[in-house]
Each structure stands twice: as C-alpha cells, then as structure tokens.
Amino acid sequence: MVTPAFFACFPSPRMLAAAHQADVESLIRSTGFFRNKAKSLIGMARALVERHGGEVPRDMAALRVLPGVGRKTANVVLGNAFGINEGITVDTHVVRLARLLKLTRQTTPEKIERDLMPLVPRDDWALVSHLLIWHGRRVCIARRPKCGECVVAKLCPSAKV
Ligand code: SF4
C-alpha cells in the first residue's frame, strides 16, 4: 500500500540513498517500526550505490549483507524479481501452515525452510510460499482456521471438521 507513493518519491537507489530520514519515515509510517525501516532503506540504497553500481545483486550472500535484509527478504527478491529459486520464503503464515500440516516440527524460519525444501520441486519454491501465505490469509487464518471450507482438510492432520 505504501509503495506507489514511496517509489514515486524515490524512483532509484541513488535518490533513496540521498533521502532525508524524516521524509522516508513519513511515507512508511503506517507499516510499523518505521524509524528502523527508514534507516535500513536508506542504508540499503547507499550500499547498492556504493557496492553494486545502483543495481540489486542477484545472489543470496550479497543480498544478506545489505541493511535490513535477512534470508526471508533475500528469498523474496531472488524468487520474485529474478526468478531464482535459492530458498523458500518463510514468513509468519508459512511457519504456522507448515506446522499445522505437519511438514515440520521446527519453530525457527531457517530450520522450517530446510524441512520444506526437499518436499517441493525447486522450480516451485517461490510459488509454494505464495500459496501457503495466501491460504494462511484467506482460509487457515491464525486462531480461527476455516477448516470446513479448506481444500486440503482431508490431508491436514490439524483439521477440525
Ligand atoms: S484443515 Fe484447517 S488447520 Fe488444516 S490447513 Fe485447512 S484450515 Fe488450516
């Protein structure tokens, strides 16, 4: 929701790198933790300009050392912007769904990702994350899953139907 106005103000890493913190904060205030995020965004843009000629790098190691970028964000960028299936994005929905479906017993995103990777063809790693997130938002909602409407209820060990 914030990105149209954000990218209109800062259409390139160079422009974001030169931004004032307060201007970035005001554009992303509604997302929460906006001060830290603004600091990371400006720092990330500066790193892109200084180390990568203003381009987003296409590998996990280079992405991971950018300010504000962890494995989850790096997986999102690689899988969706570049079509590189380096890993599976594990957000709060994927954590919940993977555990409910008994695809993992782990609790941390990186360990859950390691359990999911052998279960899904590599070409579908970006897709499976979208499917789980979408299912978690629409049907398997935290604390009130709609098991009666769920298309995988017959396969799900946690189904309450
Ligand atoms: S059956 Fe219920 S708990 Fe299992 S995935 Fe569907 S909504 Fe979630």
Side-chain angles (χ1 to χ4, degrees):
M1 290 170 72
V2 302
T3 52
F6 184 85
F7 287 124
C9 284
F10 305 112
S12 71
R14 276 174 216 289
M15 294 183 77
L16 182 56
H20 292 295
Q21 168 98 9
D23 294 336
V24 176
E25 286 179 5
S26 71
L27 286 164
I28 63 167
R29 187 173 295 266
S30 63
T31 67
F33 303 110
F34 62 92
R35 289 204 175 86
N36 278 342
K37 285 179 184 170
K39 194 171 160 207
S40 292
L41 283 166
I42 295 169
M44 177 273 300
R46 284 180 185 161
L48 290 186
V49 171
E50 287 163 13
R51 293 184 227 147
H52 301 286
E55 297 287 325
V56 177
R58 296 177 178 223
D59 75 87
M60 177 63 77
L63 286 167
R64 287 287 304 267
V65 295
L66 295 171
V69 179
R71 187 171 173 90
K72 180 178 77 171
T73 299
N75 273 330
V76 171
V77 171
L78 290 172
N80 296 283
F82 299 129
I84 299 169
N85 285 302
E86 180 74 25
I88 295 175
T89 302
V90 178
D91 77 342
T92 180
H93 296 291
V94 177
V95 168
R96 191 176 72 259
L97 271 284
R99 289 179 55 80
L100 284 169
L101 290 164
K102 303 278 192 259
L103 303 176
T104 185
R105 291 182 176 170
Q106 301 294 340
T107 54
T108 62
E110 296 211 1
K111 287 183 179 167
I112 291 172
E113 182 185 357
R114 276 206 289 278
D115 280 350
L116 292 178
M117 284 158 78
L119 302 178
V120 180
R122 187 167 189 151
D123 284 350
D124 293 334
W125 283 357
L127 174 67
V128 75
S129 180
H130 284 298
L131 294 175
L132 290 169
I133 292 168
W134 191 247
H135 194 58
R137 285 184 176 155
R138 292 300 169 108
V139 180
C140 191
I141 298 160
R143 289 185 292 281
R144 48 186 176 91
K146 300 176 184 172
C147 299
E149 301 171 24
C150 178
V151 293
V152 293
K154 284 193 178 136
L155 301 169
C156 177
S158 307
K160 294 186 179 72
V161 281

